[in-house]
Amino acid sequence: MSIPELELVSHHLCPYVQRAVITLLEKEIPHQRTYIDLSNKPDWFRQISPLGKVPLLKVGDEVLFESAVICEYLDEITPGSLHPTDPLAKAKHRAWIEFGSSILNTIAGFYNAATEEAFEQKRRDLVDKFAWIERHWQGNGYFAGDRFLLVDAVYGPIFRYFDVFDSIADFKVFVNTPNVRGWRQALQARSSIQQAVTGDYPERLLMFLIQRHSYLSDLVHSKTDYLPANVM
Ligand SMILES: N[C@@H](CCC(=O)N[C@@H](CS)C(=O)NCC(=O)O)C(=O)O
């Protein structure tokens, strides 16, 4: 199958966009990337995005939305597959991908929580969610063994948040999940995961966190000595 002209409409911090970028990189698919400002969405974007969200994948004159759909499409138009072939295994991977989206919602609750109490509740929710993965762990480096698959592409951007959170304080989210910690390390080392964001990602995320005016924003402020000059 010949690969059509592809353009990924993106945002610098979006973890869902990163899933698509990682898939594009893993499968070495030529594409263009266009970054937009989500706080000031361009009219052309509003006109083609049914949910007003990134990522979008422009495929010639067609537009795909929803990251899971985009990743599966990219996987299917290229040789080899980043999904298991066994239907039950594939269904389980899709379920854990959906679970990854639910972790992302909890992460949003964590950085938006206004009070210490609400923040602590979200922290515990994160601990619980990663404990679920630990209990069901059947991996070996990656989620399903030594081969990187779509489900791994989903968790790379999730763990990336914690690289920045760890630089603020030790929130003890992975204390009792050694397999998840190993998975996090394996994904951190993967070139496609590293290259899915621009080099200024940590500064951009810190700036975004400060702008939440949340409990976590206050923690970032309390560490002003560590903040890079361009975030102050
Ligand atoms: N279910 C969607 C979620 C995408 C999503 O939430 N994107 C966020 C940025 S990370 C967005 O575009 N938000 C803009 C808005 O909601 O106005 C997917 O998997 O693609």
Side-chain angles (χ1 to χ4, degrees):
M1 184 190 281
S2 74
I3 295 177
E5 201 170 305
L6 300 174
E7 179 184 345
L8 188 71
V9 182
S10 309
H11 179 268
H12 283 100
L13 289 176
C14 178
Y16 300 96
V17 165
Q18 290 175 50
R19 298 174 177 184
V21 175
I22 292 163
T23 309
L24 285 160
L25 294 174
E26 285 290 337
K27 299 211 90 178
E28 300 179 354
I29 304 175
H31 65 280
Q32 244 196 316
R33 254 175 262 165
T34 305
Y35 291 91
I36 62 159
D37 179 359
L38 284 173
S39 60
N40 184 19
K41 295 175 187 167
D43 282 343
W44 63 262
F45 171 74
R46 289 179 189 280
Q47 280 160 22
I48 60 169
S49 178
L51 296 171
K53 294 182 180 194
V54 289
L56 290 183
L57 184 69
K58 290 201 204 169
V59 185
D61 294 336
E62 307 276 357
V63 178
L64 286 180
F65 60 105
E66 284 299 318
S67 60
V69 173
I70 290 172
C71 289
E72 291 202 355
Y73 167 73
L74 292 171
D75 191 40
E76 284 174 14
I77 60 168
T78 44
S81 178
L82 298 177
H83 254 327
T85 43
D86 174 69
L88 181 59
K90 190 193 288 191
K92 283 169 71 180
H93 279 220
R94 287 182 172 137
W96 287 108
I97 285 171
E98 193 53 35
F99 191 75
S101 298
S102 126
I103 294 180
L104 287 172
N105 287 336
T106 309
I107 289 175
F110 178 78
Y111 62 62
N112 282 315
T115 63
E116 183 172 5
E117 205 183 7
F119 179 81
E120 174 57 18
Q121 185 55 56
K122 293 296 171 187
R123 192 195 68 80
R124 282 173 196 225
D125 291 350
L126 286 171
V127 171
D128 286 351
K129 285 191 165 148
F130 286 110
W132 270 98
I133 297 177
E134 186 72 24
R135 285 197 297 277
H136 289 81
W137 183 255
Q138 295 179 334
N140 175 18
Y142 298 124
F143 185 82
D146 57 3
R147 208 161 78 78
F148 182 95
L149 297 173
L150 277 184
V151 65
D152 297 292
V154 166
Y155 284 79
I158 291 175
F159 292 130
R160 196 193 309 282
Y161 277 104
F162 291 91
D163 299 342
V164 172
F165 295 158
D166 284 353
S167 70
I168 301 168
D170 181 3
F171 298 111
K172 300 190 169 24
V173 171
F174 302 106
V175 178
N176 296 317
T177 54
N179 285 309
V180 174
R181 284 203 303 272
W183 189 24
R184 179 182 176 187
Q185 272 182 350
L187 295 181
Q188 262 174 344
R190 185 92 184 172
S191 156
S192 65
I193 304 260
Q194 292 169 358
Q195 288 171 27
V197 290
T198 49
D200 57 357
Y201 173 89
E203 290 82 15
R204 282 181 186 272
L205 181 57
L206 278 172
M207 180 70 92
F208 173 82
L209 295 177
I210 288 173
Q211 288 164 350
R212 302 300 94 206
H213 302 295
S214 65
Y215 181 76
L216 185 62
S217 313
D218 291 344
L219 290 185
V220 179
H221 275 303
S222 69
K223 291 204 64 168
T224 45
D225 51 332
Y226 120 97
L227 285 177
N230 57 349
V231 175
M232 298 291 293

